[in-house]
Amino acid sequence: MTTQVTARRSFPFLRIAVGLQTLTIFLQATSAGLLLTASYGQTLHGVGARVMYAASMLYLLAAVLAWKPGGGSPRPILYASGFLVLASAQVVLGVAHVPSVHLPLGVLMFGLSVLALARS
């Protein structure tokens, strides 16, 4: 009887990209609180939105690089693509000033990003 062990490959660039995305989403929540209390909150939140969107694109790039040249699973590409869609919706909702959907979506994104970080 033979036992087959599947080794889990490590892709540090992918883990760093997910960690960066998680951090930027957390900082967006912090800057959202500053919108209520500080004059510079709106500027900080706007800049943070661009950084968070770039982090989501970096996550997608890292997922593709871990899959194609790295020989990893294509599953992270699905997750990263989903995050990019959510980030796009988040930006649109923020620009349109729809906080009733924008805020819960941000909380959902943070939770999903923490989950993706734990899985990477």
Side-chain angles (χ1 to χ4, degrees):
M1 178 182 343
T2 60
T3 304
Q4 195 172 18
V5 178
T6 57
R8 187 172 167 184
R9 296 185 71 173
S10 175
F11 298 101
F13 183 50
L14 183 61
R15 186 160 175 80
I16 290 168
V18 176
L20 180 63
Q21 175 183 267
T22 305
L23 177 65
T24 59
I25 294 171
F26 177 76
L27 292 175
Q28 278 301 92
T30 305
S31 68
L34 288 174
L35 280 170
L36 303 172
T37 59
S39 61
Y40 58 88
Q42 186 171 2
T43 303
L44 188 61
H45 197 66
V47 170
R50 289 168 179 82
V51 173
M52 183 275 302
Y53 197 78
S56 294
M57 288 191 289
L58 180 67
Y59 176 29
L60 180 58
L61 175 65
V64 169
L65 291 176
W67 166 65
K68 195 63 174 171
S73 169
R75 184 169 296 190
I77 296 173
L78 180 64
Y79 298 152
S81 298
F83 271 108
L84 196 55
V85 168
L86 291 176
S88 298
Q90 189 70 329
V91 169
V92 168
L93 291 166
V95 169
H97 300 288
V98 185
S100 60
V101 182
H102 182 77
L103 293 172
L105 182 57
V107 172
L108 175 67
M109 287 177 65
F110 179 71
L112 291 174
S113 193
V114 168
L115 184 62
L117 181 60
R119 288 180 152 192
S120 66

